[in-house]
Amino acid sequence: MNHKPIRKAVFPVAGLGTRFLPATKAIPKEMLPVVDRPLIQYAVDEAREAGIEQMIFVTGRGKSAIEDHFDIAYELERTMTDRGRDISVLEPTRLGPGACAYVRQQEPMGLGHAIWCARDIVGDEPFAIFLPDEFMHGSPGCMAQMVAEYNRVGGNLLSVLEVPYEQVSSYGVIDPGASDGKLTEVKGLVEKPKVEDAPSNLIISGRYILQPEVMRLLELQEKGAGGEIQLTDAMARMIGQQPFHAVTFDGARYDCGSKVGYIEANLAVALQRPDMADEVRAVAKRLLAN
């Protein structure tokens, strides 16, 4: 089947990061590092791996560090080069001219509103959404796995993970239809259901591929939970109108919106890195022994 390729990705990065204060007073939470790369860098790397060409950042005031991060740091590169230092570590942080766009979400009106702010840059083509707080760690990456399935079935997709049933009330879950391998038909979306009411234990996890029609729905949509324009509401209205599937991610998810999840992500990544795994394991054992 010939589906329009996924060339653009939207990164909603306008949140205030209040859970990480005072660290996030002057630095966007998306710039907090997991080991030595900022969260937003992992998300952009995942997008590039999936063949995405244009990164659209929906930002707010005080987020200019993100723009600087994906620019060329001339003085730094010049100084390192002059001293014979290898600057290849900076390669993934350079997004070429026109490969990134920044649009401001002037007031915090929810995820749906943030996505809608990018409507003119997205235009009339399908696009991906990355929530950088949800750190999806695996190879191939979560979006690459989703794009592979999208190329088969088209329509709208979201990433899901299986969790124990007692945890479902913290998340959005899908009402599943037929499944085929890691692909499951989505018949409905339920936000934070009670355990006994949950239609499944497949939780929605921060990665989406959506058709451009979602922008029209967001435009007309009333405010939902918390007085915000909710993306889930707009997606739910597309079910039945267009193909809608969930892809079960083969990999690990870390909730870097929470402090414990963020520390877990740092430890997990460090323990997988050949340059530091042995030392970090020894440190962890020593700390746990006390």
Side-chain angles (χ1 to χ4, degrees):
M1 273 191 267
N2 189 16
H3 305 296
K4 268 192 176 176
I6 308 299
R7 299 188 312 119
K8 299 181 178 184
V10 178
F11 302 82
V13 291
L16 297 172
T18 49
R19 283 194 279 182
F20 280 89
L21 284 170
T24 49
K25 181 179 173 184
I27 291 175
K29 63 175 178 173
E30 298 82 13
M31 288 299 295
L32 294 175
V34 172
V35 184
D36 54 9
R37 279 153 74 196
L39 274 168
I40 189 68
Q41 181 73 55
Y42 285 98
V44 164
D45 291 345
E46 185 189 323
R48 283 172 137 178
E49 179 201 20
I52 289 164
E53 298 161 15
Q54 188 178 30
M55 315 297 163
I56 303 162
F57 301 94
V58 181
T59 68
R61 288 171 61 82
K63 298 279 182 163
S64 57
I66 293 174
E67 299 187 32
D68 291 342
H69 178 74
F70 289 110
D71 204 344
I72 291 172
Y74 178 76
E75 301 88 343
L76 174 67
E77 296 189 12
R78 182 67 197 264
T79 306
M80 286 178 70
T81 306
D82 287 350
R83 292 179 183 170
R85 300 280 296 279
D86 179 15
I87 61 167
S88 61
V89 69
L90 295 172
E91 189 57 47
T93 68
R94 292 195 204 108
L95 290 177
C100 50
Y102 298 89
V103 56
R104 286 255 178 132
Q105 179 187 19
Q106 269 116 355
E107 43 189 336
M109 282 173 58
L111 176 58
H113 179 258
I115 301 306
W116 182 72
C117 288
R119 65 197 178 281
D120 287 343
I121 309 173
V122 167
D124 198 26
E125 56 183 290
F127 62 102
I129 299 172
F130 289 74
L131 307 189
D133 278 4
E134 304 247 2
F135 177 43
M136 309 295 274
H137 197 54
S139 184
C142 184
M143 188 53 68
Q145 294 180 29
M146 290 175 71
V147 166
E149 298 297 333
Y150 169 81
N151 291 336
R152 274 197 321 139
V153 296
N156 302 277
L157 291 100
L158 42 84
S159 159
V160 292
L161 284 164
E162 217 169 323
V163 298
Y165 261 98
E166 57 271 21
Q167 291 178 18
V168 291
S169 57
S170 308
Y171 301 101
V173 300
I174 65 162
D175 181 1
S179 64
D180 165 21
K182 61 163 112 171
L183 204 62
T184 306
E185 199 183 332
V186 176
K187 295 196 307 193
L189 303 169
V190 187
E191 196 60 50
K192 299 185 177 163
K194 292 194 179 114
V195 174
E196 58 273 19
D197 301 335
S200 75
N201 61 337
L202 292 170
I203 65 161
I204 303 169
S205 54
R207 300 289 183 274
Y208 311 83
I209 291 175
L210 297 177
Q211 295 298 319
E213 285 75 16
V214 75
M215 293 297 193
R216 326 266 188 280
L217 296 178
L218 288 168
E219 181 130 13
L220 303 168
Q221 189 164 299
E222 302 295 311
K223 290 178 181 172
E228 297 184 335
I229 293 174
Q230 299 290 349
L231 181 64
T232 308
D233 296 345
M235 291 196 303
R237 288 163 61 201
M238 290 167 77
I239 296 169
Q241 313 291 317
Q242 295 181 342
F244 216 116
H245 292 88
V247 180
T248 304
F249 172 51
D250 180 13
R253 164 196 177 268
Y254 303 101
D255 174 13
C256 288
S258 82
K259 291 175 201 174
V260 172
Y262 175 67
I263 289 166
E264 183 189 5
N266 273 279
L267 261 176
V269 170
L271 288 169
Q272 287 176 14
R273 288 206 9 186
D275 60 331
M276 59 199 306
D278 293 347
E279 286 177 78
V280 171
R281 184 170 281 105
V283 166
K285 280 181 175 159
R286 193 169 71 236
L287 290 172
L288 289 168
N290 289 341

